[in-house]
Amino acid sequence: MVTEILVSILNMNHLLPSLIAQYGGLVYGGLFIIIFVETGLVVFPFLPGDSLLFLSGSIAAMTAHSLNHITLIILLSIAAIAGDSLNFEIGHHFGQHLTKPKWQRWIKPKYLKEAGQFFHNHGNSAIFLGRFMPVIRTLIPFTAGVSKMHYRKFILFNVLGGIAWVSVAVLAGYFFGNITIVKTHFELIMLAIIVISLLPAILISLKRKSKGTDVNA
């Protein structure tokens, strides 16, 4: 999975600026579709998410290109929220069918198990926290739908998580993406972002395990 993420980063790092130069504002539509599909279709967890948002933000900070960071945040937040909502509905209506063995080629049981455990450990907040975790981000809304989570609870954490994720990633790129050291080590910075995004979930998990140990003692 790390290899797939790196390949996505390298490709988008060179491809996106040329697409903007050729198609201008139409690229917004392409970005919307990628974020929507990555969050909305459970079979596409490998699409770039964090890296694409960060790169888009860094390009928006360059006057030579036509992207606007505020437009990016609004448009891609809508894409992320709509994507998770679709994924939730897919899990709610078709989850039992899609978790059968014949779908294992497209929906890895290992990832589903990890997402299910994450959802079990963190409850409703998993919808928010999962936004910041590659792969888990795509599978959490599907898992929530399969578990028949109440939609009113889901949509609240979906909206908060979608806006927070897109805003943090785009603004990080906007303010820091064009610093020389960041541009030179772009791939490493992206991996660092992914690691940092995992920290809240790791800390919460460790805290709950610590509480469990104290109770058992």
Side-chain angles (χ1 to χ4, degrees):
M1 183 53 62
V2 172
T3 302
E4 291 174 349
I5 292 171
L6 275 173
V7 169
S8 298
I9 291 169
L10 288 169
N11 289 341
M12 293 306 301
N13 192 21
H14 299 292
L15 179 61
L16 187 55
S18 18
L19 287 175
I20 294 170
Q22 188 171 356
Y23 297 105
L26 292 176
V27 170
Y28 282 119
L31 295 174
F32 184 98
I33 291 171
I34 293 174
I35 295 299
F36 176 77
V37 170
E38 192 238 0
T39 57
L41 299 180
V42 69
V43 295
F44 288 106
F46 53 84
L47 289 178
D50 304 297
S51 57
L52 183 64
L53 294 174
F54 184 91
L55 179 59
S56 300
S58 68
I59 291 174
M62 301 166 61
T63 54
H65 293 293
S66 59
L67 295 185
N68 177 272
H69 63 294
I70 301 299
T71 304
L72 283 170
I73 290 172
I74 294 172
L75 190 66
L76 300 185
S77 291
I78 293 171
I81 293 166
D84 261 29
S85 294
L86 173 62
N87 216 342
F88 177 88
E89 293 298 332
I90 291 173
H92 182 78
H93 295 288
F94 307 106
Q96 297 302 321
H97 175 71
L98 293 176
T99 52
K100 291 180 178 179
K102 67 177 181 179
W103 286 94
Q104 289 183 1
R105 178 182 175 185
W106 307 101
I107 305 173
K108 303 296 184 184
K110 174 186 174 183
Y111 298 150
L112 277 177
K113 183 178 179 181
E114 290 175 356
Q117 188 60 48
F118 185 80
F119 186 74
H120 175 75
N121 289 341
H122 304 295
N124 296 338
S125 61
I127 307 301
F128 180 91
L129 293 172
R131 283 288 191 180
F132 299 88
M133 302 173 67
V135 180
I136 290 290
R137 171 168 54 247
T138 306
L139 295 173
I140 277 293
F142 177 81
T143 304
V146 172
S147 68
K148 308 299 181 185
M149 179 181 182
H150 199 289
Y151 185 74
R152 287 186 180 179
K153 290 182 179 178
F154 169 80
I155 193 62
L156 172 63
F157 288 95
N158 177 19
V159 171
L160 293 175
I163 294 173
W165 173 53
V166 172
S167 299
V168 168
V170 169
L171 291 177
Y174 185 80
F175 289 112
F176 305 111
N178 289 299
I179 297 174
T180 302
I181 190 171
V182 175
K183 292 174 70 175
T184 305
H185 302 286
F186 182 77
E187 292 81 10
L188 292 177
I189 295 296
M190 284 291 90
L191 287 178
I193 289 174
I194 292 170
V195 171
I196 291 171
S197 71
L198 296 174
L199 287 180
I202 292 172
L203 292 175
I204 291 173
S205 180
L206 290 174
K207 185 177 180 181
R208 293 194 176 191
K209 285 183 180 180
S210 175
K211 286 183 178 180
T213 303
D214 292 341
V215 171
N216 292 332

